[in-house]
Every structure is written in C-alpha cells, then in structure tokens.
Amino acid sequence: MLKFHVKHLLIAGLLSFFVLPASAQKMYRCPGAGGSTTFSDTPCSSGQGSEVTVKPATGSGAGSPPKPDPQTRGAMDKRNAEYNALLTPDCRRAREAFLVKSQQKNGMEELMKEGNPISKAWEACEFEAKDSIGKLNAQDQAKAKAEEAKRAEQDRIAIKKNECATKQKVLDDRRPRLAQLSEQDRATFRAVEQDVAMNCR
C-alpha cells in the first residue's frame, strides 16, 4: 500500500522552486551497506553497480507542463545553479536523483513509498535544503534593498538636477537686468548664484 509521509511531501516541496531541464540523464545504481541501493550521477566508488539512462515522462496531458520561454528558462537555470552551489556534493546528487526519478512515469508514487532510498537520501538533506533556500531568500532581500537604495539615489539626483536647472534659469533671466534690481533682490541673486556654484556642479 502506498504511504504518503509529511517529510516526503516536504522534500518534494523543497524541489518545487527549482526545476531541472527535462532531458535524459545518466545515473548509476550503486549497492550500499545492508543491501541498500543508492543512486548517483558519478560511477560507483566500489566499481560495482550499473548505469541507468533516465528519461522524463513524455506525452500530452496534465502531466506535461508547458515549456517556459527562454528568458524564464534562463532565470530558472540561474536560480537552480545558485541553489546547487550552496549544497554539499552529496546533497546535490541526492537532489538530482530525486528530481530525475520524479520526472519518470509513476516516479513520485515510488518516491513516496516507505524506505525509498532516493527519498531517504534527499530527506537526509532536509535541513541543508531549507538553509540553502533561506540563504537565497536573504540574498534576494539584500539585492532588492540595494536596488531600492539605488533608485532612491537616482531620484534624489534627478530632483537636485531639476532644482539646479530652475535656479540657473532664474539667474539667466535676471542677470541682464541685475543693475535695475533692488538691493534686496541683488542680495538674493548673489545667494542663489553662490548656491548654484557650490551645489550644482
């Protein structure tokens, strides 16, 4: 009987943010201690085991999501690479094996079965996966904050530029008839002229 576990759903959910391209991949089935089996994207260290070429499920229907446009695909690939870079090699391989299996026909059903070695390997990386996602989110927040500060600085510069242009226009308009202005207006003119000289260059 198929059993669904909260942890299995969680580790599957941790993958939902990052999707690998649906292309054929080579995996290696390696015998482990106590008769267990592990999967890796590199040949078995013991020299035993077998090579498996895994292809994602194909065909039309609800299980075939639409292909993203190139720009979205590029952003997804970049995000996926950033995420993988934060994982240890063992967890990176466990994640990739889980993804490959999940793309096979009935793959998720097999992954949800009690004791599935691929699920167990990825489940062991649960804390690391959460931590990596947390780091990526923190990086996103820092980047958004930096971009907001940059926009604010650009707005400040634009406002100052407009103010300086307005002051310069007032100076240009009044300079030809400066001698005709009152002493108070000439004093104001000199103050504005000094302000422009100091702050608008």
Side-chain angles (χ1 to χ4, degrees):
M1 179 179 178
L2 187 63
K3 295 182 179 179
F4 290 84
H5 298 274
V6 174
K7 278 196 172 183
H8 285 166
L9 294 175
L10 174 62
I11 59 180
L14 289 172
L15 297 172
S16 64
F17 300 101
F18 315 98
V19 181
L20 289 177
S23 57
Q25 299 185 33
K26 287 186 178 180
M27 299 294 294
Y28 298 87
R29 182 187 289 110
C30 306
S36 63
T37 302
T38 60
F39 290 83
S40 173
D41 58 349
T42 57
C44 308
S45 58
S46 63
Q48 300 177 349
S50 58
E51 180 179 303
V52 180
T53 300
V54 181
K55 294 183 179 181
T58 57
S60 59
S64 301
K67 293 183 178 180
D69 60 80
Q71 184 175 359
T72 302
R73 177 75 268 177
M76 292 169 63
D77 288 343
K78 181 176 182 293
R79 188 68 164 179
N80 186 62
E82 292 172 344
Y83 180 56
N84 271 337
L86 294 174
L87 297 175
T88 61
D90 286 344
C91 285
R92 194 177 304 128
R93 286 191 291 269
R95 174 177 178 264
E96 290 173 353
F98 193 100
L99 278 167
V100 169
K101 185 64 178 177
S102 68
Q103 292 171 352
Q104 295 180 44
K105 185 177 181 180
N106 300 324
M108 283 306 300
E109 292 182 4
E110 293 183 32
L111 289 169
M112 293 300 176
K113 290 180 180 178
E114 181 69 24
N116 183 280
I118 301 177
S119 294
K120 288 177 66 177
W122 179 230
E123 183 179 325
C125 297
E126 177 185 341
F127 175 80
E128 187 176 327
K130 287 182 179 179
D131 184 61
S132 297
I133 291 175
K135 288 179 180 178
L136 285 178
N137 289 338
Q139 290 174 10
D140 288 343
Q141 292 173 1
K143 182 179 179 181
K145 187 176 181 180
E147 290 177 350
E148 182 179 354
K150 182 179 179 180
R151 285 193 297 270
E153 178 63 14
Q154 290 173 339
D155 290 343
R156 186 191 68 80
I157 293 174
I159 291 172
K160 181 179 179 181
K161 184 177 180 180
N162 289 335
E163 290 177 347
C164 287
T166 300
K167 292 176 182 178
Q168 186 63 55
K169 187 176 185 305
V170 171
L171 293 175
D172 293 342
D173 290 344
R174 295 191 177 186
R175 184 172 285 108
R177 50 193 179 85
L178 185 59
Q180 302 172 11
L181 299 177
S182 66
E183 184 61 33
Q184 183 177 357
D185 287 342
R186 286 197 295 270
T188 300
F189 180 91
R190 287 191 292 270
V192 173
E193 190 176 42
Q194 185 178 9
D195 178 60
V196 169
M198 293 179 60
N199 300 311
C200 295
R201 295 288 184 265

